Amino acid sequence: MDAAGLSTAALRIGLTGGIGSGKSTVGGLLARHGATLVDTDLIARELTLPGGAAIPAIVTAFGADLIDACGALDRARMRDLVFADASAKRRLEAILHPLIGLETQRQAAASAAPVVVFDVPLLVESGRWRALVDKVLVVDCLEATQIERVVARSGWTREAVQAVIDQQASRAQRRAAADAVICNDAIPLAELTAQVGALWQRWTRPLH
Ligand code: ADP
């Protein structure tokens, strides 16, 4: 995916945040204001469902063992593999990234909305995203809050959430890359909604 790949008349916002920060919640609120939401995680998941565009290349690269009985990527096995083997992670990314790029581009091009929000969990980590968006919006909160939320939402253990946090960019790295930060700690959803509304006004207000 290159910079021209996301060319659109709309304001392009890259939305990111650590696991459990409230990134998806903020994305949903921006969509309520009229933004088109392009969810790169969802795209990646759909590519690896039965019949997904990434499945043939995954079978070629990793063998049929990584495919479950329904024909989908066996996510748990793949997670174990890439956790233990950095070269497997790179091979998987080499398959997925171009396909995610194409679908991202297709969805952005199909949008007539004034704002397109790209929900990219690893925006700061990947490096290539910054040039593709006009603004980076980071949703931030304490690690303890991230852990609490993901345990409540997904039933994961605290250790499992911590392991994901440890693999992601630090809060400081994310904040350093941000054009705006939403601090989503100890605030009720109504306050989060108000903060997103204020940001929407600020970023979509005509200059003159
Ligand atoms: P992410 O996409 O960053 O992993 P989510 O948006 O899914 O995070 O939020 C994680 C969980 O925390 C969800 O269940 C969401 O409803 C909840 N949540 C997010 N922000 C708040 C908040 N300010 N107050 C209460 N619950 C919140």
Side-chain angles (χ1 to χ4, degrees):
M1 174 174 28
D2 59 6
L6 293 183
S7 63
T8 157
L11 176 73
R12 296 164 301 182
I13 298 177
L15 170 65
T16 195
I19 184 170
S21 60
K23 180 180 55 63
S24 309
T25 306
V26 168
L29 291 169
L30 289 166
R32 269 171 38 189
H33 283 279
T36 292
L37 195 56
V38 178
D39 183 334
T40 59
D41 243 8
L42 182 62
I43 291 172
R45 272 203 300 281
E46 287 175 351
L47 286 168
T48 56
L49 288 177
I55 295 292
I58 289 172
V59 171
T60 304
F62 297 97
D65 281 1
L66 270 292
I67 306 299
D68 70 16
C70 302
L73 173 67
D74 186 330
R75 296 172 68 83
R77 289 193 70 173
M78 182 57 92
R79 211 169 17 242
D80 289 346
L81 181 64
V82 299
F83 207 77
D85 178 353
S87 80
K89 184 164 186 262
R90 280 195 297 276
R91 274 186 291 146
L92 179 66
E93 287 173 351
I95 293 168
L96 288 180
H97 283 175
L99 294 171
I100 294 170
L102 281 174
E103 180 57 16
T104 300
Q105 185 181 332
R106 192 193 67 73
Q107 292 187 16
S111 166
V115 174
V116 180
V117 174
F118 300 93
D119 181 332
V120 188
L122 300 182
L123 183 146
V124 171
E125 292 83 341
S126 88
R128 71 207 165 94
W129 267 95
R130 185 61 193 91
L132 302 179
V133 295
D134 303 302
K135 304 272 192 196
V136 172
L137 174 58
V138 166
V139 185
D140 185 44
C141 71
L142 293 170
E143 280 193 8
T145 309
Q146 289 179 266
I147 293 170
E148 258 171 48
R149 287 188 185 140
V150 180
V151 168
R153 179 186 65 188
S154 314
W156 291 17
T157 64
R158 304 179 75 80
E159 291 71 25
V161 186
Q162 187 68 57
V164 172
I165 291 174
D166 291 345
Q167 286 216 322
Q168 297 186 336
S170 68
R171 293 176 61 206
Q173 285 169 326
R174 243 185 246 110
R175 283 200 304 261
D179 293 295
V181 178
I182 291 185
C183 296
N184 184 27
D185 231 323
I187 56 169
L189 284 171
E191 169 61 20
L192 181 64
T193 305
Q195 285 196 27
V196 171
L199 184 87
W200 176 271
Q201 292 300 327
R202 184 147 56 88
W203 279 359
T204 62
R205 196 170 36 212
L207 289 173
H208 302 291

